[in-house]
Amino acid sequence: MTMDDRLVCQFRDIGHTLHSVSEGRGGQKRILILLLEAGPMTQRELTSRLRIQPGSASEVIGKLEVAGLLERTPSSEDKRTTDVRLTQAGLAAAREAREARAQRNERMFACLTEEEKETALSLLQKINAWWDVQFRESGAEDGRHS
């Protein structure tokens, strides 16, 4: 295998690990954390920030609403849209999810020194910027997962 092949394999393995341990693109915990950090927003804005299809967002939002973690109300600014906000129970669940995420993220990089983390971050930012130009901006395959 070439060095490029080996790098791609490492990125693929890392991607699989991140997918298995994270909240996912439109996961319930990710939605709760986003609303905790950004505050109430329209369902359209939430869908856009998550980069998921409106139908997928509606399904997850509906489940969170049934669970009593968030509520949807007609927007006070535009009655054609719906605002999504955390309930008190949702606020508690979001804080718990954010703390669990922080602990997980810290554990994921515990093998690196602060200097190694800075180097890794710098290299990943450089790769990501290059890939934006080479693949995403040119209309090629969208490889970004948030």
Side-chain angles (χ1 to χ4, degrees):
M1 289 178 72
T2 68
M3 181 61 76
D4 290 338
D5 292 336
R6 291 170 51 206
L7 283 165
V8 168
C9 286
Q10 289 299 312
F11 274 102
R12 186 180 306 120
D13 290 348
I14 287 169
H16 288 300
T17 300
L18 284 173
H19 182 73
S20 69
V21 301
S22 71
E23 298 92 22
R25 287 179 96 176
Q28 292 183 11
K29 290 179 183 176
R30 183 158 180 251
I31 289 173
L32 293 174
I33 293 169
L34 178 58
L35 289 170
L36 174 67
E37 294 175 349
M41 65 184 70
T42 66
Q43 188 167 330
R44 176 176 284 143
E45 182 181 1
L46 182 62
T47 300
S48 174
R49 285 188 179 207
L50 295 170
R51 292 190 211 130
I52 60 175
Q53 296 298 315
S56 299
S58 290
E59 181 180 344
V60 177
I61 290 167
K63 290 177 181 177
L64 289 167
E65 190 173 31
V66 168
L69 300 177
L70 59 77
E71 60 186 6
R72 290 185 271 194
T73 57
S75 172
S76 57
E77 296 175 15
D78 182 353
K79 298 297 182 198
R80 296 171 296 169
T81 63
T82 302
D83 287 336
V84 180
R85 71 184 76 252
L86 294 171
T87 63
Q88 287 297 348
L91 190 59
R95 287 182 178 139
E96 184 178 309
R98 184 173 62 183
E99 179 60 28
R101 174 196 276 179
Q103 289 175 6
R104 180 203 66 220
N105 289 354
E106 184 178 327
R107 209 170 80 231
M108 289 176 77
F109 298 102
C111 65
L112 300 176
T113 65
E114 287 304 309
E115 185 177 328
E116 289 170 328
K117 289 177 188 180
E118 288 175 16
T119 300
L121 180 59
S122 177
L123 291 170
L124 289 170
Q125 288 171 329
K126 184 175 182 177
I127 291 167
N128 203 21
W130 176 250
W131 287 0
D132 274 343
V133 171
Q134 294 299 307
F135 304 109
R136 291 186 275 271
E137 290 178 4
S138 67
E141 188 175 324
D142 181 5
R144 183 184 305 263
H145 297 280
S146 45

